[in-house]
Amino acid sequence: MIHTAAQHNAVRTDLAFQRCINPVCGATYDSSELHTSCPKCSNLLDVAYDWDRIAVPKHLNEFEAMWSQRTNPVRFSGVWRFHELLPFAPQDRVVTVGEGQTLLQQTDAVGEYVGMDNGKLHLQYEGMNPSGSFKDNGMCAAVTHASILGAQRAACASTGNTSASLALYCSATRLMKAIIFIGSGKISYGKLSQALDYGALTVQIAGDFDDAMLRVREVAKELGIYLVNSVNPFRLEGQKTIMFRVLEALRWEVPDWIVVPGGNLGNSSAFGKAFMELKELGLIDRVPRIAVINASGADTLYELHERRGVRWNGGHVNMDPIVQYNDQMDREGIKADTIASAIEINRPVNLKKCLRALEFTDGVVRQVSDQEILDAKARVGAGGFGCEPASAASVAGAKMLRREGVISASDRVVCILTGHELKDPTATVAYHTTDQEVFHKTLGSRGVTKASFANKAIAVPNELDNIIKAIQLYA
Ligand SMILES: Cc1ncc(COP(=O)(O)O)c(C=O)c1O
C-alpha cells in the first residue's frame, strides 16, 4: 500500500522543532529548516516537541487499538501507528509503504545458545520490513520530512541498507530522485541489487563508508540535496517506533535489556530518545539497559566508551580522547574491517547521541569477533529467523554479556535483528560451504577459522539408490 503526501510547500507545525543536543548551545530551529548539524556549534540536532500541546494517549495500550484500523494507511504503518509520539508532520502528509509490520519473536532455541532461561530471549525481526531492513522505519519519516520541504532529490552514503530503503521509497512514491554513495567493494550484492533495481543514481566512491559519508555531506550541502543518513534527526524519529513495537509486544512491560548492533549508532540513539520521551511523558516508569555491540573490526564506540572512558556527562563530552583516537586512526591508517559490512564504520556520526542513550539507560558496549558473529548468525538461522551478519552481532553480544554475568539468565532480553538473511547470502553460503577454498577466501581473512554450526550440503551421485541411502543416513 502506498500513500504519499500531497505536494505543496513546507508547513510549520511549531509543535515540533529542531534543537541542538549540546546543552550549552541548545539552539532551536524550525522543523522546515534543512540542517545536518547545528549551524551555531556543529553538534547534532534532535527533533523536539512541545508535548504540553500534543494529545498523547494517557496509556500506551491505546496504540494497540490504532492497529485495528487496517484500511487507514497512517495507522496501518507500524511507524505512523504511533504518530502522536513523533508528531512532526500532519497525518495527511505522511509517507508510508506499509513499513514496520514487524514482530517480536520469543525463541528458546536461540535463548539456549545465549544462555537464557526459557521464555526470556526475544528477537525483534526488523528484516520483515518492505526493503528487508530496519531502515524503512526511519526512511518513511525522512522522506515525509523531505516531501514537506519540497525536496526533489535525496541522497545518502550507505553500507547498503540505507540505499536500498531510500531507493525503494523514491521509486514507490515518485516523490524525489534517490542518489546513493557507496564505497568500492563494500556493499553486498543483495543490497546493491535493490538500489540498482529501484532506479537510484548510484555513485561509487574509491574509498570506504567513512569516505562516502564525508563526501555525501559535502555534496548535499553544495547542491542543496536532502540528506537521509542518520545525522538527519527526522529519520531517527521513525526509528524510535522499533522500541514502541517491542513494548507493545511485551504488553507494555519494559524489558531488562535491549541489545543492538552499533554502526553509525542511529538505532541506539533513537532507542535512547524513545525511552527518554516515554519516561518524560510518564508512559513508562523504568527504562531498559541498552547494550550496543560493535564488530571488533569496527569498534570505535567500544574503544571510546569502554577503554577510554568517554561519557555523555550531561552533554559535556570530553572531546580530547575522541580527537586523539581519530588522529591515531588517520596516522596508523586504521580502516574498519568486518564480515558484518553493515556496521563496518569507524567514525560513527551519532556518537554523541549514542553516549547520551548509554548514560540515560546505564548502557554498556561490547565488541564481538567475526567468528562470534557468524556462529550466532547460524544459530539464529537454525532457530528459524535468519538475519544478515551485522544483525547477529546483537545475539553474539548478548551471549558475551550473559557469559560475563552482566545479563542474568532470568533477565528479559530483546535482541534487534536489523536486516534480513537474504541481504548477504555470500557470508551465509561461505559459512555452510563444503568447499574449503571458498570458506578461507571469504571468511579466513576475517579470522574465521571454523564453522561449528555449519549445515553442509551432502554430495551424492545422481542415482536413486544413493540418494535414498543418503537421506536415510542423515534425516
Ligand atoms: C543490518 C544493519 N544492522 C546494523 C546497522 C547499524 O545501525 P546503526 O547505524 O543505527 O548503528 C546497519 C546500518 O547500516 C544495518 O544495515
Side-chain angles (χ1 to χ4, degrees), residues 368-380:
V368 290
S369 67
D370 283 4
Q371 179 77 60
E372 291 167 299
I373 287 174
L374 288 183
D375 287 341
K377 182 176 130 39
R379 295 324 291 159
V380 171

Side-chain angles (χ1 to χ4, degrees), residues 132-135 157-163 191 209 229-230 235-236 239 260-271 292-294 340-345 348-350 354 387-393 416-420 423:
S133 86
F134 77 88
K135 302 281 181 176
S158 181
T159 55
N161 282 328
T162 310
S163 56
K191 301 173 190 179
F209 173 83
N229 277 103
S230 53
R235 206 188 102 183
L236 295 192
Q239 287 172 219
V260 60
N264 239 343
L265 307 179
N267 263 339
S268 42
S269 300
F271 298 174
V292 185
I293 313 299
N294 274 162
S341 57
I343 52 173
E344 195 175 53
I345 295 170
V349 295
N350 288 298
C354 176
C387 65
E388 65 169 289
S391 311
I416 313 298
L417 297 186
T418 44
H420 198 279
K423 288 280 192 173

Side-chain angles (χ1 to χ4, degrees), residues 9 59 82 128 144 194 301 312 318 370 391 393 396 414 437 471:
N9 289 333
H59 299 285
F82 301 98
M128 295 303 285
T144 292
Q194 288 181 286
L301 179 68
W312 170 246
N318 177 4
D370 283 4
S391 311
V414 176
E437 214 178 305
I471 290 173

Side-chain angles (χ1 to χ4, degrees), residues 230-274:
S230 53
V231 281
N232 179 324
F234 294 90
R235 206 188 102 183
L236 295 192
E237 288 305 287
Q239 287 172 219
K240 291 189 311 192
T241 65
I242 300 172
M243 289 303 102
F244 304 154
R245 293 197 299 274
V246 164
L247 292 179
E248 186 179 49
L250 294 175
R251 315 282 325 159
W252 309 108
E253 281 177 28
V254 178
D256 298 301
W257 287 92
I258 300 290
V259 191
V260 60
N264 239 343
L265 307 179
N267 263 339
S268 42
S269 300
F271 298 174
K273 185 169 189 279

